[in-house]
Structures are given as C-alpha cells and as structure tokens.
Amino acid sequence: VINAQQAMDSKGAIYIRAKNLLIEKTEPEQNPLEKGKYVELSIQDEGPGISKELQEKIFDPFFTTKPKGSGLGLSICYSIMRKHAGHIKVESETGKGTTFFLYLPASNRGADPAKFEEGLKKGKGRVLVMDDEEAVLAVISPMLEYLGYEVVIVPEGSIGIAEYLKWKNKDLPFDVVLTDLTVPGGIGGVEFLEKLKEIDPGVKVIVSSGYSNDPVIADYLTIGFSGFILKPYNLFDLSKVLYQVIFKG
C-alpha cells in the first residue's frame, strides 16, 4: 500500500480485495502453490505501472528505484509469504497501474485467543526503535504496544541518538533499544550501539536483521548487543527477547 501510494504521488485510488480461492491443479511455471484452499489478497493502484524488465527484479534484496529506498520492502514481503507456504506475484503494464496478488493457505480451524495469549511474555517499559523501513515501523509499533510497552520510533541513527539523550535528560530513560543492523546511507546498528554506549554505558540494545548468517549476528554478544531478533518479526519471539533483555538480562 505504501508503494502504491508513492507510485501515484498520492493521487488516485487503491483497491484492496480479498476472496477465497480453490487451486485444483498445480502450475509450477505460473504459480508454485500446492493444490488446496487459499485466501487471495490483491492490492491494485492507478499508478504508472512497472515495466517488464523491472518486474523481474522487484523482489530481489536491495533492488530499488527510490532515491532513499533500501530495496528490502518487497523482498521481506516475499520471504514472509514463502515462509507461510504462500506466494506473491505482480501484474502490471506501463501506464495502466499495478496489482500485487498475495496468496495464503486457508485454515479450517478457528482462532483460540486463550492459547494465543498463553505464549506471550507481556511487560512494561519504554522502547526506542530505529529502522529506516516504513513498512517495518508500521508493524513493530502496534506489536510493542500490544505487548504493553511505550514506543518511540525513529528512521535513522543520528535522530535516535538525539531522542535517547533527550529522554535520558528528562529522567525518562528507555529500558531497551531495538535497532536495525543495516541502514543504507545512514548510521547502522553497530555504530548506533557505539554512540549510545558513549551516552549510557549500561544501555540495552537488541539488534535485528533479515540475515541470520551476518557476521555481526553470529557475534552480537561480544560486540555489545544485549539480544538479537530475526526479521520478519514474530510477536512471540519479540515478546521473549524483550522480556529476557529487560527483566532477566
């Protein structure tokens, strides 16, 4: 939706539709989904469209056409869909808009709210989040609030340092900082940690990344981070790492 809005420069309509879908035969070349019931979610815009050449690259990590983009938004979406046995595809024609289709396996079971709450570690405290991806910030903020935390979000490390110092001087320090590891063109997680430790040697910082094989992640405790969480965020994993770092660390 963010991509659609930006593509249209906030002028035009975005159509969001959902429907049940039954796939009765597999077509690996067209659609890698297994046979079964799915929910199809489509997001259609009235923007300039995407050329065939670019359509082949849009799900690649770090590919972007935006001057300040990181190229991770759609690659993260793709990863989420595949991890949930789903699929995402795009249909677009130059000058005629773009539609993204998302497919998720349908479930015949109802939700169990009590069981859902059982696995969560809720708490209280103040969390500073630094991430340059709007889509990530849009998800992480309500997740943290649902878990009982107060949240301040910043898009870049230098702003995060100023924000941390401001609230520390007001005697309202943050209990923990959650930072992205890589911020193209800005202060990344390691430098952000170093600058925060200059202000507050006891600061607790959780680093997040979409790449579990990054050398920093493999050695995050030695570097000085208090915890690590893999993207895309899982509410249960997020609740556990926060609880561990704030209350047990």
Side-chain angles (χ1 to χ4, degrees):
V1 172
I2 292 171
N3 285 348
Q5 182 186 29
Q6 293 176 346
M8 297 188 297
D9 195 23
S10 301
K11 297 174 184 177
I14 299 174
Y15 303 91
I16 301 175
R17 303 178 179 92
K19 69 177 184 180
N20 292 313
L21 180 70
L22 176 63
I23 295 181
E24 298 185 278
K25 63 178 181 177
T26 58
E27 298 176 358
E29 293 183 5
Q30 301 294 326
N31 196 332
L33 296 172
E34 299 290 333
K35 296 178 183 177
K37 295 179 179 180
Y38 293 83
V39 173
E40 178 192 89
L41 177 68
S42 65
I43 302 167
Q44 177 185 0
D45 67 51
E46 297 178 335
I50 305 171
S51 69
K52 292 292 182 184
E53 181 185 356
L54 292 183
Q55 287 181 42
E56 297 176 0
K57 303 176 182 178
I58 58 174
F59 296 113
D60 294 346
F62 303 110
F63 175 78
T64 181
T65 58
K66 301 175 185 176
K68 296 184 178 180
S70 67
L72 291 175
L74 284 175
S75 65
I76 289 173
C77 287
Y78 182 86
S79 174
I80 292 171
M81 300 305 294
R82 298 303 296 157
K83 286 181 179 179
H84 289 78
H87 180 56
I88 179 172
K89 70 175 185 177
V90 62
E91 289 183 3
S92 184
E93 189 175 337
T94 304
K96 296 187 178 180
T98 300
T99 304
F100 280 89
F101 295 90
L102 296 89
Y103 302 92
L104 282 168
S107 172
N108 294 321
R109 295 184 300 164
D112 185 346
K115 188 174 182 181
F116 176 78
E117 290 286 342
E118 247 176 49
L120 293 178
K121 294 270 188 190
K122 292 192 174 182
K124 290 184 179 179
R126 305 186 74 247
V127 184
L128 176 65
V129 179
M130 191 278 280
D131 201 299
D132 67 317
E133 282 287 322
E134 291 181 28
V136 172
L137 295 177
V139 170
I140 190 67
S141 185
M143 288 175 78
L144 289 169
E145 289 170 356
Y146 181 80
L147 292 172
Y149 298 98
E150 295 178 43
V151 188
V152 174
I153 58 176
V154 294
E156 201 271 322
S158 60
I159 301 173
I161 293 160
E163 201 71 17
Y164 190 91
L165 186 59
K166 180 182 78 173
W167 289 103
K168 186 176 185 296
N169 290 339
K170 288 183 178 183
D171 203 26
L172 289 169
F174 290 100
D175 295 281
V176 69
V177 178
L178 176 62
T179 179
D180 189 15
L181 178 60
T182 307
V183 180
I187 295 176
V190 175
E191 186 180 355
F192 188 41
L193 170 69
E194 292 170 351
K195 291 183 179 295
L196 286 174
K197 282 190 174 291
E198 291 175 6
I199 298 170
D200 180 4
V203 63
K204 296 178 178 180
V205 183
I206 299 169
V207 63
S208 68
S209 174
Y211 303 94
S212 58
N213 58 350
D214 189 289
V216 172
I217 300 308
D219 209 23
Y220 71 91
L221 287 173
T222 304
I223 291 170
F225 291 107
S226 303
F228 159 70
I229 185 168
L230 188 65
K231 291 182 179 180
Y233 294 120
N234 174 293
L235 188 63
F236 293 95
D237 293 342
L238 183 63
S239 73
K240 288 175 184 175
V241 72
L242 285 167
Y243 187 83
Q244 180 66 36
V245 170
I246 295 175
F247 302 105
K248 301 290 185 180

